[in-house]
PDB file of all heavy atoms in Angstrom:
ATOM      1  N   TYR A1201      26.087 -30.682 -46.148  1.00 93.00           N
ATOM      2  CA  TYR A1201      25.732 -29.479 -46.844  1.00 93.00           C
ATOM      3  C   TYR A1201      25.992 -29.547 -48.364  1.00 93.00           C
ATOM      4  O   TYR A1201      25.070 -29.302 -49.084  1.00 93.00           O
ATOM      5  CB  TYR A1201      26.561 -28.242 -46.330  1.00 93.00           C
ATOM      6  CG  TYR A1201      26.452 -26.998 -47.110  1.00 93.00           C
ATOM      7  CD1 TYR A1201      25.311 -26.254 -47.146  1.00 93.00           C
ATOM      8  CD2 TYR A1201      27.436 -26.697 -48.119  1.00 93.00           C
ATOM      9  CE1 TYR A1201      25.183 -25.206 -47.879  1.00 93.00           C
ATOM     10  CE2 TYR A1201      27.142 -25.688 -49.004  1.00 93.00           C
ATOM     11  CZ  TYR A1201      26.141 -24.819 -48.787  1.00 93.00           C
ATOM     12  OH  TYR A1201      25.856 -23.698 -49.737  1.00 93.00           O
ATOM     13  N   LEU A1202      27.177 -30.065 -48.781  1.00 95.00           N
ATOM     14  CA  LEU A1202      27.338 -30.172 -50.074  1.00 95.00           C
ATOM     15  C   LEU A1202      26.574 -31.157 -50.807  1.00 95.00           C
ATOM     16  O   LEU A1202      26.228 -31.050 -52.061  1.00 95.00           O
ATOM     17  CB  LEU A1202      28.894 -30.471 -50.474  1.00 95.00           C
ATOM     18  CG  LEU A1202      29.880 -29.350 -49.936  1.00 95.00           C
ATOM     19  CD1 LEU A1202      31.282 -29.882 -50.083  1.00 95.00           C
ATOM     20  CD2 LEU A1202      29.645 -28.194 -50.900  1.00 95.00           C
ATOM     21  N   LEU A1203      26.097 -32.212 -50.105  1.00 96.00           N
ATOM     22  CA  LEU A1203      25.226 -33.353 -50.612  1.00 96.00           C
ATOM     23  C   LEU A1203      23.767 -32.955 -50.587  1.00 96.00           C
ATOM     24  O   LEU A1203      22.938 -33.537 -51.160  1.00 96.00           O
ATOM     25  CB  LEU A1203      25.428 -34.563 -49.849  1.00 96.00           C
ATOM     26  CG  LEU A1203      26.811 -35.218 -50.153  1.00 96.00           C
ATOM     27  CD1 LEU A1203      27.064 -36.271 -48.992  1.00 96.00           C
ATOM     28  CD2 LEU A1203      26.854 -35.816 -51.445  1.00 96.00           C
ATOM     29  N   LYS A1204      23.513 -31.743 -49.805  1.00 95.00           N
ATOM     30  CA  LYS A1204      22.151 -31.263 -49.773  1.00 95.00           C
ATOM     31  C   LYS A1204      21.273 -32.203 -49.056  1.00 95.00           C
ATOM     32  O   LYS A1204      20.059 -32.303 -49.349  1.00 95.00           O
ATOM     33  CB  LYS A1204      21.530 -30.813 -51.216  1.00 95.00           C
ATOM     34  CG  LYS A1204      22.341 -29.903 -52.024  1.00 95.00           C
ATOM     35  CD  LYS A1204      22.585 -28.587 -51.437  1.00 95.00           C
ATOM     36  CE  LYS A1204      23.396 -27.712 -52.426  1.00 95.00           C
ATOM     37  NZ  LYS A1204      24.265 -26.879 -51.774  1.00 95.00           N
ATOM     38  N   LYS A1205      21.870 -32.870 -47.896  1.00 96.00           N
ATOM     39  CA  LYS A1205      21.107 -33.800 -47.228  1.00 96.00           C
ATOM     40  C   LYS A1205      21.427 -33.515 -45.862  1.00 96.00           C
ATOM     41  O   LYS A1205      22.528 -33.271 -45.343  1.00 96.00           O
ATOM     42  CB  LYS A1205      21.560 -35.235 -47.471  1.00 96.00           C
ATOM     43  CG  LYS A1205      21.415 -35.665 -48.875  1.00 96.00           C
ATOM     44  CD  LYS A1205      20.029 -36.073 -49.169  1.00 96.00           C
ATOM     45  CE  LYS A1205      19.810 -36.609 -50.507  1.00 96.00           C
ATOM     46  NZ  LYS A1205      18.446 -36.935 -50.991  1.00 96.00           N
ATOM     47  N   PRO A1206      20.422 -33.500 -44.884  1.00 96.00           N
ATOM     48  CA  PRO A1206      20.715 -33.450 -43.451  1.00 96.00           C
ATOM     49  C   PRO A1206      21.295 -34.626 -42.896  1.00 96.00           C
ATOM     50  O   PRO A1206      21.314 -35.670 -43.461  1.00 96.00           O
ATOM     51  CB  PRO A1206      19.378 -33.176 -42.785  1.00 96.00           C
ATOM     52  CG  PRO A1206      18.439 -33.882 -43.666  1.00 96.00           C
ATOM     53  CD  PRO A1206      19.031 -33.725 -45.155  1.00 96.00           C
ATOM     54  N   ASN A1207      22.044 -34.565 -41.703  1.00 95.00           N
ATOM     55  CA  ASN A1207      22.376 -35.724 -40.986  1.00 95.00           C
ATOM     56  C   ASN A1207      21.186 -36.611 -40.476  1.00 95.00           C
ATOM     57  O   ASN A1207      20.205 -35.856 -40.185  1.00 95.00           O
ATOM     58  CB  ASN A1207      23.310 -35.398 -39.818  1.00 95.00           C
ATOM     59  CG  ASN A1207      24.760 -35.236 -40.101  1.00 95.00           C
ATOM     60  OD1 ASN A1207      25.372 -36.070 -40.619  1.00 95.00           O
ATOM     61  ND2 ASN A1207      25.319 -34.072 -39.784  1.00 95.00           N
ATOM     62  N   CYS A1208      21.424 -37.797 -40.395  1.00 96.00           N
ATOM     63  CA  CYS A1208      20.243 -38.723 -40.106  1.00 96.00           C
ATOM     64  C   CYS A1208      20.171 -38.814 -38.468  1.00 96.00           C
ATOM     65  O   CYS A1208      19.114 -39.127 -37.949  1.00 96.00           O
ATOM     66  CB  CYS A1208      20.486 -40.215 -40.592  1.00 96.00           C
ATOM     67  SG  CYS A1208      20.446 -40.270 -42.407  1.00 96.00           S
ATOM     68  N   THR A1209      21.143 -38.371 -37.761  1.00 94.00           N
ATOM     69  CA  THR A1209      21.112 -38.471 -36.259  1.00 94.00           C
ATOM     70  C   THR A1209      21.421 -37.019 -35.732  1.00 94.00           C
ATOM     71  O   THR A1209      21.894 -36.134 -36.508  1.00 94.00           O
ATOM     72  CB  THR A1209      22.172 -39.455 -35.652  1.00 94.00           C
ATOM     73  OG1 THR A1209      23.487 -38.896 -35.879  1.00 94.00           O
ATOM     74  CG2 THR A1209      22.024 -40.751 -36.338  1.00 94.00           C
ATOM     75  N   GLN A1210      21.337 -36.859 -34.487  1.00 89.00           N
ATOM     76  CA  GLN A1210      21.671 -35.615 -33.744  1.00 89.00           C
ATOM     77  C   GLN A1210      23.183 -35.462 -33.703  1.00 89.00           C
ATOM     78  O   GLN A1210      23.584 -34.394 -33.483  1.00 89.00           O
ATOM     79  CB  GLN A1210      21.241 -35.620 -32.453  1.00 89.00           C
ATOM     80  CG  GLN A1210      19.561 -35.641 -32.279  1.00 89.00           C
ATOM     81  CD  GLN A1210      19.151 -35.630 -30.772  1.00 89.00           C
ATOM     82  OE1 GLN A1210      19.820 -36.152 -29.963  1.00 89.00           O
ATOM     83  NE2 GLN A1210      17.996 -34.978 -30.537  1.00 89.00           N
ATOM     84  N   LEU A1211      23.914 -36.497 -33.994  1.00 82.00           N
ATOM     85  CA  LEU A1211      25.421 -36.289 -33.972  1.00 82.00           C
ATOM     86  C   LEU A1211      25.886 -35.776 -35.251  1.00 82.00           C
ATOM     87  O   LEU A1211      26.305 -36.490 -36.108  1.00 82.00           O
ATOM     88  CB  LEU A1211      26.023 -37.702 -33.482  1.00 82.00           C
ATOM     89  CG  LEU A1211      27.476 -37.690 -33.058  1.00 82.00           C
ATOM     90  CD1 LEU A1211      27.594 -36.897 -31.789  1.00 82.00           C
ATOM     91  CD2 LEU A1211      28.040 -39.054 -32.978  1.00 82.00           C
ATOM     92  N   ILE A1212      25.901 -34.407 -35.319  1.00 78.00           N
ATOM     93  CA  ILE A1212      26.316 -33.870 -36.547  1.00 78.00           C
ATOM     94  C   ILE A1212      27.841 -33.902 -36.733  1.00 78.00           C
ATOM     95  O   ILE A1212      28.412 -34.138 -37.749  1.00 78.00           O
ATOM     96  CB  ILE A1212      25.873 -32.369 -36.569  1.00 78.00           C
ATOM     97  CG1 ILE A1212      24.286 -32.279 -36.615  1.00 78.00           C
ATOM     98  CG2 ILE A1212      26.572 -31.487 -37.757  1.00 78.00           C
ATOM     99  CD1 ILE A1212      23.847 -30.870 -36.423  1.00 78.00           C
ATOM    100  N   SER A1213      28.551 -33.700 -35.632  1.00 77.00           N
ATOM    101  CA  SER A1213      30.106 -33.747 -35.520  1.00 77.00           C
ATOM    102  C   SER A1213      30.471 -35.008 -34.838  1.00 77.00           C
ATOM    103  O   SER A1213      30.596 -35.011 -33.693  1.00 77.00           O
ATOM    104  CB  SER A1213      30.616 -32.633 -35.049  1.00 77.00           C
ATOM    105  OG  SER A1213      31.995 -32.579 -35.040  1.00 77.00           O
ATOM    106  N   ALA A1214      30.501 -36.156 -35.627  1.00 64.00           N
ATOM    107  CA  ALA A1214      30.598 -37.406 -34.899  1.00 64.00           C
ATOM    108  C   ALA A1214      31.953 -37.528 -33.964  1.00 64.00           C
ATOM    109  O   ALA A1214      31.882 -38.138 -32.977  1.00 64.00           O
ATOM    110  CB  ALA A1214      30.781 -38.519 -35.936  1.00 64.00           C
ATOM    111  N   TRP A1215      32.881 -36.945 -34.418  1.00 62.00           N
ATOM    112  CA  TRP A1215      34.289 -37.044 -33.468  1.00 62.00           C
ATOM    113  C   TRP A1215      34.102 -36.298 -32.124  1.00 62.00           C
ATOM    114  O   TRP A1215      34.723 -36.696 -31.174  1.00 62.00           O
ATOM    115  CB  TRP A1215      35.434 -36.364 -34.279  1.00 62.00           C
ATOM    116  CG  TRP A1215      35.298 -34.956 -34.638  1.00 62.00           C
ATOM    117  CD1 TRP A1215      34.768 -34.364 -35.597  1.00 62.00           C
ATOM    118  CD2 TRP A1215      35.890 -34.013 -33.776  1.00 62.00           C
ATOM    119  NE1 TRP A1215      34.919 -32.967 -35.563  1.00 62.00           N
ATOM    120  CE2 TRP A1215      35.548 -32.761 -34.330  1.00 62.00           C
ATOM    121  CE3 TRP A1215      36.621 -33.934 -32.583  1.00 62.00           C
ATOM    122  CZ2 TRP A1215      36.052 -31.486 -33.913  1.00 62.00           C
ATOM    123  CZ3 TRP A1215      37.028 -32.772 -32.056  1.00 62.00           C
ATOM    124  CH2 TRP A1215      36.555 -31.518 -32.690  1.00 62.00           C
ATOM    125  N   LEU A1216      33.028 -35.498 -32.013  1.00 67.00           N
ATOM    126  CA  LEU A1216      32.802 -34.927 -30.662  1.00 67.00           C
ATOM    127  C   LEU A1216      32.017 -35.943 -29.751  1.00 67.00           C
ATOM    128  O   LEU A1216      31.866 -35.656 -28.636  1.00 67.00           O
ATOM    129  CB  LEU A1216      32.002 -33.640 -30.877  1.00 67.00           C
ATOM    130  CG  LEU A1216      32.857 -32.421 -31.355  1.00 67.00           C
ATOM    131  CD1 LEU A1216      31.838 -31.310 -31.624  1.00 67.00           C
ATOM    132  CD2 LEU A1216      33.968 -32.099 -30.508  1.00 67.00           C
ATOM    133  N   GLY A1217      31.408 -36.840 -30.370  1.00 61.00           N
ATOM    134  CA  GLY A1217      30.534 -37.857 -29.627  1.00 61.00           C
ATOM    135  C   GLY A1217      31.237 -39.012 -28.972  1.00 61.00           C
ATOM    136  O   GLY A1217      30.709 -40.045 -28.834  1.00 61.00           O
ATOM    137  N   SER A1218      32.490 -38.725 -28.510  1.00 70.00           N
ATOM    138  CA  SER A1218      33.207 -39.932 -27.914  1.00 70.00           C
ATOM    139  C   SER A1218      32.714 -40.137 -26.485  1.00 70.00           C
ATOM    140  O   SER A1218      32.194 -39.243 -25.881  1.00 70.00           O
ATOM    141  CB  SER A1218      34.746 -39.539 -27.983  1.00 70.00           C
ATOM    142  OG  SER A1218      35.084 -38.417 -27.229  1.00 70.00           O
ATOM    143  N   GLY A1219      32.934 -41.344 -26.121  1.00 82.00           N
ATOM    144  CA  GLY A1219      32.520 -41.735 -24.838  1.00 82.00           C
ATOM    145  C   GLY A1219      31.330 -42.732 -24.960  1.00 82.00           C
ATOM    146  O   GLY A1219      30.480 -42.565 -25.901  1.00 82.00           O
ATOM    147  N   GLU A1220      31.372 -43.601 -24.136  1.00 91.00           N
ATOM    148  CA  GLU A1220      30.375 -44.823 -24.177  1.00 91.00           C
ATOM    149  C   GLU A1220      28.883 -44.191 -24.213  1.00 91.00           C
ATOM    150  O   GLU A1220      28.127 -44.776 -25.019  1.00 91.00           O
ATOM    151  CB  GLU A1220      30.541 -45.713 -23.047  1.00 91.00           C
ATOM    152  CG  GLU A1220      29.639 -46.989 -23.145  1.00 91.00           C
ATOM    153  CD  GLU A1220      29.960 -47.997 -21.954  1.00 91.00           C
ATOM    154  OE1 GLU A1220      31.011 -47.977 -21.307  1.00 91.00           O
ATOM    155  OE2 GLU A1220      29.079 -48.919 -21.902  1.00 91.00           O
ATOM    156  N   LYS A1221      28.519 -43.342 -23.416  1.00 91.00           N
ATOM    157  CA  LYS A1221      27.107 -42.733 -23.396  1.00 91.00           C
ATOM    158  C   LYS A1221      26.764 -42.122 -24.732  1.00 91.00           C
ATOM    159  O   LYS A1221      25.579 -42.469 -25.397  1.00 91.00           O
ATOM    160  CB  LYS A1221      27.009 -41.667 -22.373  1.00 91.00           C
ATOM    161  CG  LYS A1221      25.737 -41.139 -22.225  1.00 91.00           C
ATOM    162  CD  LYS A1221      25.650 -39.976 -21.169  1.00 91.00           C
ATOM    163  CE  LYS A1221      24.373 -39.293 -21.134  1.00 91.00           C
ATOM    164  NZ  LYS A1221      24.292 -38.169 -20.275  1.00 91.00           N
ATOM    165  N   PHE A1222      27.649 -41.373 -25.372  1.00 91.00           N
ATOM    166  CA  PHE A1222      27.188 -40.599 -26.549  1.00 91.00           C
ATOM    167  C   PHE A1222      27.301 -41.730 -27.766  1.00 91.00           C
ATOM    168  O   PHE A1222      26.415 -41.639 -28.624  1.00 91.00           O
ATOM    169  CB  PHE A1222      28.281 -39.628 -26.880  1.00 91.00           C
ATOM    170  CG  PHE A1222      28.156 -38.357 -26.000  1.00 91.00           C
ATOM    171  CD1 PHE A1222      28.938 -38.031 -24.962  1.00 91.00           C
ATOM    172  CD2 PHE A1222      26.978 -37.527 -26.132  1.00 91.00           C
ATOM    173  CE1 PHE A1222      28.766 -36.914 -24.130  1.00 91.00           C
ATOM    174  CE2 PHE A1222      26.671 -36.528 -25.240  1.00 91.00           C
ATOM    175  CZ  PHE A1222      27.641 -36.176 -24.266  1.00 91.00           C
ATOM    176  N   GLU A1223      28.273 -42.686 -27.599  1.00 93.00           N
ATOM    177  CA  GLU A1223      28.406 -43.624 -28.704  1.00 93.00           C
ATOM    178  C   GLU A1223      27.129 -44.452 -28.848  1.00 93.00           C
ATOM    179  O   GLU A1223      26.523 -44.890 -29.871  1.00 93.00           O
ATOM    180  CB  GLU A1223      29.565 -44.401 -28.631  1.00 93.00           C
ATOM    181  CG  GLU A1223      30.850 -43.701 -28.943  1.00 93.00           C
ATOM    182  CD  GLU A1223      32.094 -44.430 -28.956  1.00 93.00           C
ATOM    183  OE1 GLU A1223      32.127 -45.312 -29.849  1.00 93.00           O
ATOM    184  OE2 GLU A1223      32.984 -44.171 -28.060  1.00 93.00           O
ATOM    185  N   ASN A1224      26.584 -44.919 -27.589  1.00 93.00           N
ATOM    186  CA  ASN A1224      25.360 -45.738 -27.529  1.00 93.00           C
ATOM    187  C   ASN A1224      24.182 -45.016 -27.977  1.00 93.00           C
ATOM    188  O   ASN A1224      23.292 -45.507 -28.621  1.00 93.00           O
ATOM    189  CB  ASN A1224      25.171 -46.325 -26.139  1.00 93.00           C
ATOM    190  CG  ASN A1224      26.249 -47.443 -25.838  1.00 93.00           C
ATOM    191  OD1 ASN A1224      26.619 -48.187 -26.710  1.00 93.00           O
ATOM    192  ND2 ASN A1224      26.677 -47.576 -24.561  1.00 93.00           N
ATOM    193  N   LYS A1225      24.151 -43.704 -27.617  1.00 93.00           N
ATOM    194  CA  LYS A1225      22.994 -42.821 -28.301  1.00 93.00           C
ATOM    195  C   LYS A1225      23.173 -42.776 -29.668  1.00 93.00           C
ATOM    196  O   LYS A1225      22.051 -42.853 -30.376  1.00 93.00           O
ATOM    197  CB  LYS A1225      23.099 -41.436 -27.555  1.00 93.00           C
ATOM    198  CG  LYS A1225      21.999 -40.571 -27.860  1.00 93.00           C
ATOM    199  CD  LYS A1225      22.033 -39.272 -27.232  1.00 93.00           C
ATOM    200  CE  LYS A1225      20.901 -38.317 -27.651  1.00 93.00           C
ATOM    201  NZ  LYS A1225      21.062 -36.969 -27.065  1.00 93.00           N
ATOM    202  N   PHE A1226      24.240 -42.626 -30.229  1.00 93.00           N
ATOM    203  CA  PHE A1226      24.358 -42.521 -31.629  1.00 93.00           C
ATOM    204  C   PHE A1226      23.936 -43.857 -32.332  1.00 93.00           C
ATOM    205  O   PHE A1226      23.322 -43.769 -33.247  1.00 93.00           O
ATOM    206  CB  PHE A1226      25.900 -42.227 -32.026  1.00 93.00           C
ATOM    207  CG  PHE A1226      26.358 -42.142 -33.399  1.00 93.00           C
ATOM    208  CD1 PHE A1226      25.758 -41.427 -34.287  1.00 93.00           C
ATOM    209  CD2 PHE A1226      27.239 -43.265 -33.899  1.00 93.00           C
ATOM    210  CE1 PHE A1226      26.077 -41.378 -35.642  1.00 93.00           C
ATOM    211  CE2 PHE A1226      27.554 -43.187 -35.223  1.00 93.00           C
ATOM    212  CZ  PHE A1226      26.967 -42.272 -36.169  1.00 93.00           C
ATOM    213  N   ILE A1227      24.396 -44.957 -31.688  1.00 95.00           N
ATOM    214  CA  ILE A1227      24.086 -46.253 -32.406  1.00 95.00           C
ATOM    215  C   ILE A1227      22.436 -46.354 -32.298  1.00 95.00           C
ATOM    216  O   ILE A1227      21.895 -46.803 -33.276  1.00 95.00           O
ATOM    217  CB  ILE A1227      24.685 -47.379 -31.438  1.00 95.00           C
ATOM    218  CG1 ILE A1227      26.193 -47.366 -31.957  1.00 95.00           C
ATOM    219  CG2 ILE A1227      24.138 -48.771 -31.991  1.00 95.00           C
ATOM    220  CD1 ILE A1227      27.111 -48.276 -30.910  1.00 95.00           C
ATOM    221  N   ALA A1228      21.883 -46.023 -31.235  1.00 96.00           N
ATOM    222  CA  ALA A1228      20.490 -46.236 -31.029  1.00 96.00           C
ATOM    223  C   ALA A1228      19.694 -45.333 -32.064  1.00 96.00           C
ATOM    224  O   ALA A1228      18.655 -45.727 -32.695  1.00 96.00           O
ATOM    225  CB  ALA A1228      20.048 -45.714 -29.734  1.00 96.00           C
ATOM    226  N   GLN A1229      20.264 -44.060 -32.386  1.00 95.00           N
ATOM    227  CA  GLN A1229      19.604 -43.322 -33.476  1.00 95.00           C
ATOM    228  C   GLN A1229      19.872 -43.768 -34.795  1.00 95.00           C
ATOM    229  O   GLN A1229      19.028 -43.844 -35.677  1.00 95.00           O
ATOM    230  CB  GLN A1229      20.195 -41.881 -33.366  1.00 95.00           C
ATOM    231  CG  GLN A1229      19.672 -41.187 -32.108  1.00 95.00           C
ATOM    232  CD  GLN A1229      20.137 -39.656 -31.953  1.00 95.00           C
ATOM    233  OE1 GLN A1229      20.762 -39.152 -32.998  1.00 95.00           O
ATOM    234  NE2 GLN A1229      19.919 -39.044 -30.939  1.00 95.00           N
ATOM    235  N   LEU A1230      21.060 -44.339 -35.054  1.00 96.00           N
ATOM    236  CA  LEU A1230      21.252 -45.149 -36.305  1.00 96.00           C
ATOM    237  C   LEU A1230      20.269 -46.235 -36.573  1.00 96.00           C
ATOM    238  O   LEU A1230      19.568 -46.366 -37.563  1.00 96.00           O
ATOM    239  CB  LEU A1230      22.677 -45.754 -36.404  1.00 96.00           C
ATOM    240  CG  LEU A1230      23.842 -44.875 -36.431  1.00 96.00           C
ATOM    241  CD1 LEU A1230      25.166 -45.666 -36.408  1.00 96.00           C
ATOM    242  CD2 LEU A1230      23.747 -44.138 -37.785  1.00 96.00           C
ATOM    243  N   ARG A1231      19.858 -47.007 -35.447  1.00 97.00           N
ATOM    244  CA  ARG A1231      18.746 -48.063 -35.615  1.00 97.00           C
ATOM    245  C   ARG A1231      17.496 -47.464 -35.788  1.00 97.00           C
ATOM    246  O   ARG A1231      16.782 -47.933 -36.687  1.00 97.00           O
ATOM    247  CB  ARG A1231      18.823 -48.967 -34.396  1.00 97.00           C
ATOM    248  CG  ARG A1231      20.089 -49.866 -34.205  1.00 97.00           C
ATOM    249  CD  ARG A1231      20.002 -50.605 -32.954  1.00 97.00           C
ATOM    250  NE  ARG A1231      21.186 -51.611 -32.787  1.00 97.00           N
ATOM    251  CZ  ARG A1231      21.738 -51.672 -31.587  1.00 97.00           C
ATOM    252  NH1 ARG A1231      21.348 -51.121 -30.537  1.00 97.00           N
ATOM    253  NH2 ARG A1231      22.741 -52.536 -31.509  1.00 97.00           N
ATOM    254  N   SER A1232      17.110 -46.575 -34.912  1.00 97.00           N
ATOM    255  CA  SER A1232      15.697 -46.032 -34.942  1.00 97.00           C
ATOM    256  C   SER A1232      15.368 -45.195 -36.116  1.00 97.00           C
ATOM    257  O   SER A1232      14.264 -45.149 -36.570  1.00 97.00           O
ATOM    258  CB  SER A1232      15.437 -45.235 -33.634  1.00 97.00           C
ATOM    259  OG  SER A1232      16.220 -44.048 -33.630  1.00 97.00           O
ATOM    260  N   ASN A1233      16.406 -44.601 -36.719  1.00 96.00           N
ATOM    261  CA  ASN A1233      16.206 -43.744 -37.962  1.00 96.00           C
ATOM    262  C   ASN A1233      16.479 -44.588 -39.219  1.00 96.00           C
ATOM    263  O   ASN A1233      16.271 -44.013 -40.353  1.00 96.00           O
ATOM    264  CB  ASN A1233      17.074 -42.551 -37.883  1.00 96.00           C
ATOM    265  CG  ASN A1233      16.645 -41.602 -36.826  1.00 96.00           C
ATOM    266  OD1 ASN A1233      15.643 -41.587 -36.246  1.00 96.00           O
ATOM    267  ND2 ASN A1233      17.723 -40.705 -36.385  1.00 96.00           N
TER     268      ASN A1233
END
């Protein structure tokens, strides 16, 4: 918000994305985006 930029992935609150399934989805979005 302060940087006036959206997050690049759907994982807005990264610390909530724990667990192998969510982490792999996050990695895939880092790559694809």
Side-chain angles (χ1 to χ4, degrees):
Y1201 168 79
L1202 293 170
L1203 292 165
K1204 308 297 186 222
K1205 302 279 184 186
N1207 271 304
C1208 297
T1209 70
Q1210 291 176 333
L1211 197 60
I1212 294 169
S1213 181
W1215 65 274
L1216 291 175
S1218 60
E1220 187 174 346
K1221 177 182 174 184
F1222 289 109
E1223 290 185 63
N1224 287 328
K1225 182 178 179 180
F1226 175 62
I1227 292 167
Q1229 288 181 11
L1230 287 174
R1231 285 183 184 135
S1232 66
N1233 294 342

